[in-house]
Amino acid sequence: MFSLPDLPYAYDALSPVISDDTLHFHHDKHHATYVKNANDILQQAGKGFKSLEEIVAESHRSGDKKLFNNTAQAWNHAFFWEAMSPETQDPSGDLAQAIEKAFGGIEKLKDTFVTEGAGHFGSGWVWLVSDAGGALKVISTHDAADTLTEQGMTPLLVCDVWEHAYYLDYQNDRKTFLTKWFEALPNWRFAAKQFDARARGGAYRYPEPSRVSA
Ligand code: MN
């Protein structure tokens, strides 16, 4: 059984960019449902207790869409919570240099990230990723799709662009949500750890499943 990780901050900590109400619905309802569905499918299938990362990759390979969608969404949301911080930060060190090299600075990265997310058709995620060599890119993925299925790609940050992520606070204005999000909430210390982990290992992993079975 996979647990629903707690938010790493209080529900009102990201306000006003993301309201207390949105975080309650998003974490306690949406994220919780993906985790519950994933556990239900795994139990019904009598599947073992592999890591969530392995299950996401395997279900993607085998084309088990229901399992993939729910496990990938469980993972993506947990990663999303970690990729935000109530304390506004700036990138520093090697990561700041890589941003300069890839985008020409943080303002241009912001433009690229907001444009990618605002232009993404339908539900999905916008990511800042690194390849194994440390080259950065902004990409978006549809629905539950994530970067765990991409060889050599390490996610540094992600923002959820499903409507449930912003509709209560911004209605249909995804671009304003993304702009405010990028200016205030990225957890650049977490992103720097991920960047470092691309070469040395130790990238974010979802909490291990418990071995309690029904
Ligand atoms: Mn979501």
Side-chain angles (χ1 to χ4, degrees), residues 199-214:
R200 291 183 213 172
Y204 171 79
R205 291 177 69 82
Y206 196 90
E208 288 295 309
S210 70
R211 296 195 174 254
V212 179
S213 60

Side-chain angles (χ1 to χ4, degrees), residues 26 30-31 34 73 77 80-81 124-125 160-162 164-165:
H26 203 170
H30 290 278
H31 192 190
Y34 294 124
Q73 283 294 78
H77 283 90
F80 178 49
W81 311 136
W125 301 84
D160 190 337
V161 296
W162 286 59
H164 66 234

